[in-house]
Amino acid sequence: MKKSLIALAALAVTTAPVPATANPVDQLSSTAQMSSNSLISEVSKFIPTIRVSSAPAPQTGNVVLHQGDRINFPGQGTCTVGWIDHSTRRAYTARHCGRDGSTATTVSNQMVGVIRHSPLSHGKSINDYDVAYIELSPNVTPGENKFSGNLRPLNNDQIAPGDEVCAVGAHSRRVSCSRVINNREGNPFLVSAHQTVFGPGDSGGPAWVPGKGFVGIIHGGYQNIFGGDRRVQFFTIESTRALG
């Protein structure tokens, strides 16, 4: 059965024709790839297109960065802070939000840090390990994981189909909960759940199982082209954290 991912997002300054099976939103692009179970999917990443020719240098005023905050990758797009790791001064988000080594800022152009793609990510396909972290600048104070709390990050074996999973993004701006469908959806680190309210700008946002642990960050979503079965996907971060 073929599945089609809703075309809600695109990398900045990148445009492409939207496939006929996708739902075109603001002329955003999508990418097709063959998943491990031999089903054709079209990618939907929740990051909006930004078209800018240049950006002013970021400022270095004091910033307190919290889980769920909107972050900007100049010339690329905006995303959401998924997890604050106080011990390493890192903020986790989605890899597709920014190029490796590029600058992250607040929406008011205060410096946040530099994004680093996970060593586990090869960037060869949309379902590649979509996790990155931001090395926080000295002007940034790591804030609270105010939505999930400081729940321990879970690995995929600790997440079960049927678990309640909640998530939030800087675009949707409200916590939405559903049920886990699959704890390994075509990728050993990919979790799927029933889709609810997420859209452009929610990429990188936090997902967690209440009272059990932190799941990971929002990756994207898709819908079966035959109707129904609308899903959102999360990548777990524990394997990257374990690398130190």
Side-chain angles (χ1 to χ4, degrees):
M1 182 179 293
K2 290 185 178 181
K3 296 178 181 178
S4 173
L5 286 155
I6 305 165
L8 290 177
L11 293 176
V13 302
T14 300
T15 59
V18 178
T21 54
N23 176 24
V25 179
D26 193 28
Q27 297 181 340
L28 302 183
S29 68
S30 59
T31 303
Q33 74 123 33
M34 182 73 77
S35 67
S36 61
N37 58 1
S38 298
L39 299 178
I40 297 293
S41 295
E42 288 162 3
V43 170
S44 169
K45 298 181 292 185
F46 300 142
I47 173 172
T49 297
I50 291 181
R51 296 178 177 87
V52 293
S53 57
S54 63
Q59 305 300 305
T60 56
N62 293 332
V63 172
V64 180
L65 191 71
H66 297 290
Q67 182 183 63
D69 282 356
R70 188 185 301 273
I71 44 175
N72 182 41
F73 296 89
Q76 300 175 81
T78 61
C79 280
T80 304
V81 175
W83 173 262
I84 302 290
D85 191 327
H86 297 87
S87 63
T88 60
R89 286 185 52 83
R90 292 174 176 175
Y92 282 79
T93 191
R95 173 185 56 81
H96 71 255
C97 293
R99 293 182 295 273
D100 189 48
S102 59
T103 297
T105 69
T106 66
V107 292
S108 60
N109 200 38
Q110 297 295 326
M111 183 69 174
V112 170
V114 174
I115 187 171
R116 302 295 183 191
H117 293 178
S118 169
L120 299 175
S121 174
H122 302 292
K124 295 179 180 178
S125 74
I126 187 56
N127 280 335
D128 185 40
Y129 189 58
D130 193 23
V131 172
Y133 56 83
I134 300 168
E135 297 175 335
L136 300 180
S137 297
N139 62 302
V140 177
T141 299
E144 299 177 7
N145 288 308
K146 60 183 181 180
F147 291 101
S148 68
N150 292 316
L151 294 171
R152 64 189 178 95
L154 303 171
N155 62 44
N156 291 67
D157 288 331
Q158 296 168 316
I159 303 163
D163 279 349
E164 181 183 37
V165 60
C166 298
V168 67
H171 167 77
S172 58
R173 300 182 66 183
R174 68 182 179 91
V175 174
S176 180
C177 301
S178 61
R179 296 287 173 181
V180 172
I181 299 170
N182 196 328
N183 65 348
R184 281 188 173 85
E185 187 165 88
N187 183 294
F189 307 111
L190 190 61
V191 177
S192 66
H194 294 287
Q195 166 70 295
T196 49
V197 299
F198 304 108
D202 289 335
S203 284
W208 65 96
V209 175
K212 185 176 182 179
F214 183 78
V215 172
I217 55 93
I218 296 173
H219 163 60
Y222 68 82
Q223 185 169 14
N224 189 309
I225 62 174
F226 299 104
D229 197 23
R230 195 167 182 233
R231 300 186 182 188
V232 63
Q233 297 174 320
F234 315 106
F235 270 99
T236 54
I237 69 170
E238 176 56 20
S239 295
T240 294
R241 292 184 70 251
L243 295 175

